[in-house]
Each structure stands twice: as C-alpha cells, then as structure tokens.
Amino acid sequence: MKEVNIMNKEVVLQKVKNEVEAMASCSIDDPDTEIFTSGILDSLNILNILSFIESEFQLQINPFDINLDTMGTINKICDYIISKNRCQ
Amino acid sequence: MTDIANLFDNAGSTNLITYKGRTETGDSFAALIADLYQKISCIPELKTGSFILLLNEHPIEFYSLLFAIWKNGNRVIFPTRDIFSDPLSILYYKYSVSLNEGNVAITPNQHYVQEEDDLPGDTVVFSSGSTGAPKGILHDRNNFLKNARAVADTIQVSSLSNITFLKPYLVSAISHFLVHYLTGSHLLFDNYENIQNLSDYYTANPSAGIVGAPIHVVSGLRFIPEDAQPGIFFTSGDFISAGAIENIFSRFPETTYFNVYGLAELAGRFFINRIEASTPADRYEAIGTNIPGTGYQSGESDIRVNSDFLFSGYIIDNTFRSREVLHPSGDLVVNKNGLLFLAGRTNDEIKILGNKVALRYIEIKIRNILKQDTTVLIAQPHPTFGNLLALVIKSEREYKRTEIIRKLRKHLSPHEIPHKFFYMDDIPFTQSMKIDRNAIARQLQSLRMIHG
C-alpha cells in the first residue's frame, strides 16, 4: 500500500512538473523552487495550473485553497493534489 | 441540364453572371438596370426615404434592383435573415422593394417610425453578414463602388473567370460582383451546396479562380482536379490558416492567393494580402496592403478608424442610447452632424482574470502556430474561476497537452493560452458555413480531452 502511494506521488509529481515546465518554457530541476514568486510563472498561469489539476486528477478545487502554501512550488501542488485526492 | 462546358465560352469578355444556367451579359444587365430605374423613377414613394431590399432568387435581379435604387439616390437597407420576426428591426425602413417577374413591387411599412431628421439618401446600410446577424456597417454608394474598385485594381482579375458561391445575405457577394462588374470578367455563381460541381467547372475551365469565404476554398480544394491551374483564390473574412495556404501552393504553385479582411470585414476591405508560393508562411499576415485612404489606430480602449470613403468613427465596447441607435442590433449610431459612429459591435471578447481575450483573433493565431487548419477556441464558463479557454482540434495526429502549451507559450501571452484541449472528429458548421461554436460548447464535456 505504501509503495502504491509513493508511486502515485512520483506520477503526480512528474505530471505537474511537465505542466509547469511547459507553461514556463524551461526546466525546473528542484521541485521546491518557488514558481510564482521567482517569476518562473506569471500569476495569470495559475488558471492553467488549476484547470490542469481539475481535469487531470478529477478534483474540484476550493478557491480558498489557492495560495502560495498550496500552489507555490511543484512539490506543494503535488502534496495538495494528493491530499485532496484522499479527501474526495 | 446545364451544359457546363459552354459556361466559359465568353469568359473574360462581356458575360457577367451565370447562375442556374442563365447567363446575363453586360449589355443585358445595363438594360435591366435602366428598365428598373425607369419604373422606380415613376413611383413617387421611391423618391425619398429608406427601403428594405428583398432578395430575389437570381443574383442579376437583386443586383440590378440594387443599382437602380442606388441610381435613384435612395437609401437601401439589407435585411437581416429574421427581419420580419424581429419586432424592432422593421421600424427603420419606409418601404420594402422586390421584383416580381420584372415588375417592381413596393410595400409600405406600417410600422415605420419617422425619424426627426431623416438620414440623407444614397446611403447603404449593411445590416447583415453571412450569418444574417447585423454587422452595423454604413457607407454610401459611391464609397462602395470606390471600395470595390480598389479591390479590383489590387487583384487585377480582368482576364479571369471566377467561381463564387452564392450566399443570399452575404454582402461580400455584392462586393465580389462589383469587382467583376468593374473589370468585365466573368462570374459564375453556384450555391454552396453544389460545391462538388467544382470538378466539372474546372474540367471546362482549368484556369478559373475561386471567390468566396475561406471555408469555400478549404472545403472545395478536394474537388479541384490535379491538373487544374486556378488563376487566383480570393477570400474575404477571417484569415485562412497558413496550413491551408501552404496546401494550396503545394498543389498549385503558380496561383496567387488574395484575402481581404479588416475590422469590418464585409465593407471595410482595409487590407488585402497578396500571397504567393514564395511568401514565407510567417509573413502571411505581415504583407497586408492598406487600401489608400483607410487606416486605423488601436488605443487602450478603442479603435479609431479613419477613411475617406468608408466611414469615420469609433469602434468602442459599449452600449448606446436607444434614440441614437439606427439598427436594433444596438451597434450602429448616427451622429447629428453627419459623422457616422460605429460602436459596440457584438464581439467575441471575454475576460480571463481581468484581461481581454478576443477569441477569434487568438484562434487564428493558434491555427498558424500549430499549423493546424481546424482549431476552434471557445469560452467555457467555470463555476469558480470565471471563463476558461477551451481549444478544440480536429486532427488525425495525436497531440500532448504539454506539447501544445510549449508551442503556444512562445507566441501568446499567458492569459491567451487555452486551459483545456480537446479532439473533435467533425467540427459542426451552421447553415451559412460558419463554425457552430454553440454546438461545440454543448458537446464539450463529451469530447476526448488531450492529456500528457
């Protein structure tokens, strides 16, 4: 069971990384890199990220969840997706 | 049955129109105009005021009546498709005019509302485009002729025969006709439903050109024989995709492609692109030639349009006071001093996080970036995030979402990049062959999403 969770995390991480890198037109090696405050992504890109999460992972995002603590890095986005997935 | 082989016997000379097997020459056309003018001149009601011109089945009758009314110095209103079911739209013309077996019939409009200051005569109000929806374009007869001559001078089609597709309410068909009238070339009309007839037309005349909407060219290509040598492709309206043009040149490297488009695509004719096989794909949009005397400047919130023969005014995003609205679409106003102010056209702008996105404009850019002929960009309301952009692609190749985003990211602003991507096997079209965006929006949830 634990192995499945780890694999899921890796899959989710890779998908989010691909999406963010496509939006940013650059590679992001460190998943803890701040993607918005560092200027890698424009704040306008947040809609693309949110839409991607909803459609790719079949999640419904609560607008109150959207902040830098949940969306600030690839890792944080990944953790948010996994936590939401457990709840829904 | 029409003898197609004989249709082009006098191509490029005095034959002007062929439709449903009936060919009118320049002389007979002039005689018909003179006859109608004579009849109209004897009708007191037709000395002044505004008219709605009802379309007759044959284009020669429609055009001749139009010319005759123009010649009489009257204002003509082209009807919208549903003008008789629209309780407001009938308030603005005094009479309807139609032809019945060569006789002019006029019918007073019982609902006409007298304007305090009637508009001066000799003004044409283009109230409808190919969809029948009001376009809100104003200009007078002389300006229209001048406009058509500018197009004719630019494309120089005098020795060519061309095929055009009749769309009854399409004002650009009149413009196409005028080009041929002015150049004395031959114009063959057919209904769009008969587009497969192209193969027969080209068998009869391998060098004929095609005049019409971009969709006519795209959908008609497969009916043009391999050994044909079309003289020109001439389209008006939204800019055809680079991929489609490349396809044309790969098959017919000697041809020339023209596209007229502008802010007011039907009457504007602001730009004409002449595209040849040697023109780089990324310069298709950059080589437009301003028709002398027209121009526009984009501002923060408006577009200032100047023209010595079209109109002068503003295109701005607002609504209008009812008293000043000439057409119930609400997108046309007339200033008391005679300046025409065109404003508030129904457009397709939406807002993404407070930023304006013009859907069709971005859609064309995306087509060119992806080199994908059939892409449609539509707004998809989201319960939490407002509007999202959904890109629908008809393609035989498989895309990855990230691949598309990477390509678009290089050319588009962040707020212009679609949020969702879908495949669609068959893009639905309206009866007037516009992409049926409403139908696509309704089907969006059932379409296959592009992932990866």
Side-chain angles (χ1 to χ4, degrees):
Chain A
M1 188 69 179
K2 191 178 179 182
E3 248 183 50
V4 172
N5 281 337
I6 289 170
M7 195 177 75
N8 278 348
K9 164 111 186 185
E10 285 174 353
V11 171
V12 171
L13 189 72
Q14 193 56 52
K15 284 186 174 179
V16 173
K17 186 170 182 289
N18 288 346
E19 178 75 9
V20 172
E21 286 182 340
M23 290 301 304
S25 293
C26 65
S27 62
I28 303 168
D29 297 330
D30 182 358
D32 288 319
T33 302
E34 290 290 339
I35 54 176
F36 289 106
T37 56
S38 65
I40 292 175
L41 287 187
D42 190 291
S43 60
L44 290 167
N45 295 130
I46 189 67
L47 265 190
N48 295 79
I49 302 293
L50 298 176
S51 170
F52 163 75
I53 294 171
E54 284 201 339
S55 55
E56 189 67 32
F57 301 101
Q58 305 295 309
L59 298 175
Q60 196 169 358
I61 296 176
N62 184 332
F64 296 107
D65 292 343
I66 304 168
N67 54 60
L68 288 177
D69 290 333
T70 55
M71 300 288 158
T73 69
I74 290 174
N75 249 340
K76 286 174 181 174
I77 295 171
C78 196
D79 291 340
Y80 173 77
I81 291 169
I82 291 171
S83 68
K84 284 291 287 186
N85 191 41
R86 284 178 184 143
C87 297
Q88 287 189 3
Chain B
M1 189 169 173
T2 306
D3 183 2
I4 291 174
N6 294 327
L7 289 180
F8 293 92
D9 280 350
N10 297 307
S13 58
T14 56
N15 274 2
L16 279 168
I17 293 179
T18 302
Y19 181 62
K20 291 189 174 178
R22 170 181 160 190
T23 297
E24 295 292 340
T25 66
D27 289 343
S28 65
F29 180 60
L32 186 53
I33 292 174
D35 176 55
L36 289 172
Y37 175 61
Q38 189 71 26
K39 290 173 179 171
I40 287 173
S41 300
C42 297
I43 303 173
E45 292 91 335
L46 286 177
K47 290 290 185 187
T48 59
S50 56
F51 304 89
I52 182 170
L53 184 59
L54 303 179
L55 184 70
N56 296 85
E57 185 177 349
H58 200 288
I60 192 79
E61 290 167 348
F62 178 75
Y63 295 136
S64 56
L65 187 56
L66 168 68
F67 271 62
I69 291 176
W70 268 346
K71 192 175 177 182
N72 206 40
N74 294 120
R75 184 158 63 94
V76 182
I77 298 175
F78 287 89
T80 56
R81 197 181 298 276
D82 57 350
I83 191 160
F84 297 110
S85 61
D86 183 340
L88 282 177
S89 64
I90 61 173
L91 300 180
Y92 301 97
Y93 66 93
K94 282 183 179 176
Y95 306 98
S96 64
V97 185
S98 61
L99 273 182
N100 183 14
E101 296 181 350
N103 294 313
V104 180
I106 65 166
T107 308
N109 175 16
Q110 303 295 331
H111 306 283
Y112 175 69
V113 176
Q114 181 72 40
E115 298 273 345
E116 278 179 21
D117 301 311
D118 256 342
L119 288 168
D122 205 18
T123 301
V124 179
V125 181
F126 291 109
S127 66
S128 65
S130 59
T131 62
K135 283 284 184 184
I137 307 299
L138 264 164
H139 59 88
D140 68 31
R141 174 190 57 175
N142 290 329
N143 294 347
F144 189 72
L145 290 171
K146 196 173 174 184
N147 191 14
R149 186 175 288 284
V151 175
D153 288 346
T154 307
I155 66 173
Q156 297 174 337
V157 294
S158 58
S159 63
L160 290 169
S161 295
N162 290 304
I163 301 159
T164 193
F165 295 97
L166 184 63
K167 299 206 288 185
Y169 294 89
L170 183 63
V171 177
S172 57
I174 298 171
S175 186
H176 296 155
F177 161 72
L178 283 175
V179 169
H180 289 264
Y181 178 70
L182 292 169
T183 60
S185 61
H186 182 105
L187 189 61
L188 171 68
F189 276 90
D190 203 342
N191 290 323
Y192 179 72
E193 292 75 13
N194 301 328
I195 197 162
Q196 72 277 3
N197 285 350
L198 275 176
S199 57
D200 292 330
Y201 297 150
Y202 272 97
T203 301
N205 186 330
S207 64
I210 291 187
V211 179
I215 186 68
H216 295 145
V217 169
V218 171
S219 55
L221 268 181
R222 67 183 187 278
F223 299 111
I224 303 178
E226 288 299 325
D227 57 351
Q229 295 175 316
I232 63 166
F233 291 87
F234 184 92
T235 59
S236 62
D238 295 342
F239 196 77
I240 194 168
S241 73
I245 295 174
E246 282 170 2
N247 186 20
I248 289 169
F249 284 129
S250 67
R251 289 186 57 191
F252 313 113
E254 301 300 318
T255 194
T256 303
Y257 190 100
F258 293 95
N259 184 66
V260 292
Y261 65 102
L263 291 171
E265 63 184 60
L266 292 182
R269 303 285 187 255
F270 287 122
F271 309 103
I272 296 178
N273 278 339
R274 182 190 182 102
I275 303 165
E276 290 162 335
S278 58
T279 307
D282 61 356
R283 295 203 61 213
Y284 285 171
E285 285 181 291
I287 59 172
T289 305
N290 251 337
I291 293 175
T294 63
Y296 74 95
Q297 290 179 309
S298 293
E300 280 289 314
S301 59
D302 61 25
I303 300 172
R304 172 72 184 176
V305 180
N306 294 300
S307 170
D308 61 351
F309 64 86
L310 188 63
F311 60 79
S312 178
Y314 287 99
I315 296 176
I316 50 178
D317 184 16
N318 68 1
T319 54
F320 292 96
R321 286 164 289 175
S322 59
R323 187 62 190 88
E324 288 184 327
V325 172
L326 176 64
H327 193 274
S329 66
D331 63 359
L332 190 61
V333 295
V334 179
N335 196 314
K336 295 290 183 188
N337 64 13
L339 278 178
L340 310 179
F341 284 79
L342 171 69
R345 288 175 66 203
T346 304
N347 61 33
D348 60 352
E349 274 189 355
I350 62 167
K351 283 197 171 182
I352 303 289
L353 292 178
N355 293 273
K356 282 184 179 177
V357 174
L359 293 175
R360 309 271 171 88
Y361 176 70
I362 302 301
E363 180 180 285
I364 291 166
K365 286 175 78 171
I366 290 176
R367 273 182 207 167
N368 290 330
I369 294 168
L370 298 181
K371 300 191 186 313
Q372 189 71 52
D373 288 349
T374 315
T375 58
V376 185
L377 187 65
I378 60 174
Q380 186 186 31
H382 186 284
T384 308
F385 307 141
N387 282 312
L388 297 179
L389 295 174
L391 185 70
V392 177
I393 300 176
K394 180 185 177 185
S395 172
E396 291 178 0
R397 64 159 286 196
E398 289 286 311
Y399 279 100
K400 283 188 173 182
R401 172 190 168 91
T402 49
E403 173 198 0
I404 298 173
I405 290 175
R406 281 178 195 278
K407 286 182 177 175
L408 299 184
R409 185 69 186 87
K410 291 178 185 172
H411 304 278
L412 300 179
S413 301
H415 63 280
E416 295 172 339
I417 296 176
H419 305 94
K420 296 183 177 183
F421 304 87
F422 299 92
Y423 292 114
M424 193 168 200
D425 294 333
D426 292 305
I427 302 291
F429 288 93
T430 63
Q431 286 187 343
S432 57
M433 295 313 295
K434 294 276 186 181
I435 291 172
D436 193 341
R437 294 164 194 279
N438 292 332
I440 295 175
R442 286 194 298 272
Q443 299 174 47
L444 212 51
Q445 296 302 329
S446 62
L447 298 182
R448 184 161 66 94
M449 188 175 268
I450 300 176
H451 294 281

